Amino acid sequence: MNALRRLSNRHARAIFLDRHGLSDAPSGTDLSRIIGTLGFVQLDSINTVVRAHHMILHARRTSYRPAALHRLHDRDRGVFEHWTHDASMIDMAHFPHWRLRFRRNEARLAERWTKWGRDFASKLDEVQRRIADDGPCSSADVGLDEPRSSGGWWDWHPSKAALEYLWRTGHLSVTRRDAFRKVYDLTENVIPPEQLNAHRTQEETIDWACTFAIDRLGFATTGELAAFWDLITPAEAREWATRAIHDGDLIEAEIEQADGRWRTSLIRPATLDRPVPDIAPRLRILSPFDPALRDRKRAERLFGFHYRIEIFVPEAKRTYGYYVFPLLEGDRLVGRIDMKAERDADRLHVKALWPEAGVRFGKGRIARLERALARTARLADVSDVTFAPGWLRG
């Protein structure tokens, strides 16, 4: 048996970053093209500096400002909001493939939510009629006579649960967000006719999901292919990969990990034969939910970078801070920074920075960091950058 071809860790990191739009210096590339390249941008409500989706786009286009994404979604309909592995803004071209998710959600959610005793089914027609007659609404506009709760999703009032069910099954779509609260409308009023009237078979969606994932990841296991969109099952990804290997579209190769070990993944033969992509040496501040870091285990294997969100960890037990931002320089993750946009003081305040093991923040790197912080301050619409005493740790 022939030995598997190998990909060095440096080459693997370069491919992965290049496919995620992090190889070139951030430029004025069209926003819809950036999202088209990524496929989706994860949404997150935490607003320590700016929300995650804005950080993700700013890392790839430093001229980006939050209003641009709102225009692309609310007015231009270049993206739609729905679930991948989490709530995301997704390239509108992919909407027809979400019908598979809608179909699967219909059965899965109805069974699960009914089992939990959630009385949403009786409100479905009422909620749809309310929107058809009176226009878009949020969860605050329905079920006004129903008991309100300060609990989480498990304790929604029935009309709110109905709204969410109708959205997750494709009958409603998010037309905009007001103060980050979803505002729903009938799907035919939100999704452009070209995508609304397009239909894909299950086989076409599986092929698209796996093809898109391998082309964005560069190399992957079948589990990683399935998890990219969280739209298909691991079994469906395995069946697709078996056919792709048989047809010569994919091969197995060994990918060197940051710790020197080797891991077998699937890869396109042409990917192995291309030169190593050039990675700009720029220092970038990333969101913890950046597509390049969303898969924490993959990030640790490729970059030796262990990360976890500590917002739910009691302060005394945190290793770092409440919400720290990874620092990418070239093809290395060099540290993490705890900072906050204090808008009442008109400043971006750095509480602490922890370099990664073996990384030194000398004058040159600190100068690059200061430039990155100045760019982030402009994104957050504050004027100054300040540093707490003893901010540089380690």
Side-chain angles (χ1 to χ4, degrees), residues 73 81 131 135-139 141 173-178 180-185 190:
H73 177 268
E81 180 178 339
I131 293 175
C137 73
S138 73
S139 59
D141 303 316
S173 290
V174 175
T175 187
R176 67 180 187 277
R177 280 187 180 247
D178 290 343
F180 211 65
R181 185 193 296 271
K182 293 195 290 285
V183 178
Y184 305 87
D185 198 355
V190 175

Side-chain angles (χ1 to χ4, degrees), residues 181-347:
R181 185 193 296 271
K182 293 195 290 285
V183 178
Y184 305 87
D185 198 355
L186 301 178
T187 290
E188 56 264 35
N189 294 337
V190 175
I191 306 301
E194 181 180 356
Q195 288 79 29
L196 180 68
N197 298 322
H199 294 268
R200 302 288 184 264
T201 66
Q202 179 171 310
E203 291 73 22
E204 287 173 327
T205 292
I206 293 169
D207 179 66
W208 164 81
C210 290
T211 299
F212 195 103
I214 194 66
D215 288 342
R216 293 312 179 275
L217 295 172
F219 46 88
T221 64
T222 55
E224 289 168 338
L225 293 179
F228 183 88
W229 292 109
D230 195 25
L231 183 63
I232 63 172
T233 68
E236 289 165 342
R238 286 194 296 270
E239 292 173 7
W240 178 86
T242 298
R243 292 192 299 271
I245 291 171
H246 178 270
D247 295 340
D249 294 329
L250 292 180
I251 61 171
E252 289 188 329
E254 289 191 318
I255 312 299
E256 186 182 16
Q257 309 303 293
D259 62 5
R261 291 185 290 183
W262 297 88
R263 188 169 191 260
T264 302
S265 292
L266 301 170
I267 193 168
R268 293 197 185 280
T271 300
L272 283 165
D273 297 329
R274 293 191 184 106
V276 179
D278 292 326
I279 307 296
R282 191 184 191 103
L283 193 149
R284 310 172 199 243
I285 302 170
L286 300 184
S287 162
F289 299 109
D290 194 280
L293 300 173
R294 179 194 65 79
D295 185 336
R296 306 287 189 224
K297 292 181 179 178
R298 186 180 177 99
E300 188 163 3
R301 286 194 300 267
L302 273 183
F303 299 97
F305 186 79
H306 175 76
Y307 185 93
R308 70 167 179 162
I309 293 284
E310 296 188 288
I311 56 176
F312 301 114
V313 177
E315 185 173 3
K317 295 184 178 181
R318 289 175 189 151
T319 304
Y320 300 106
Y322 171 80
Y323 189 87
V324 299
F325 299 85
L327 300 176
L328 176 71
E329 185 178 35
D331 67 350
R332 299 176 64 195
L333 286 158
V334 296
R336 59 199 84 202
I337 188 168
D338 185 4
M339 60 185 184
K340 181 178 176 61
E342 298 178 346
R343 291 179 173 83
D344 55 343
D346 194 26
R347 69 177 186 173

Side-chain angles (χ1 to χ4, degrees), residues 47 49-59 61-67 285 325 339 341 343 348 372-383:
N47 198 19
V49 175
V50 292
R51 293 191 168 101
H53 36 292
H54 301 312
M55 292 285 292
I56 291 167
L57 295 167
H58 183 256
R61 178 189 178 191
T62 51
S63 62
Y64 169 82
R65 295 296 180 268
I285 302 170
F325 299 85
M339 60 185 184
R343 291 179 173 83
L348 179 66
L373 289 168
R375 293 190 293 267
T376 302
R378 288 193 291 273
L379 173 68
D381 198 25
V382 294
S383 300

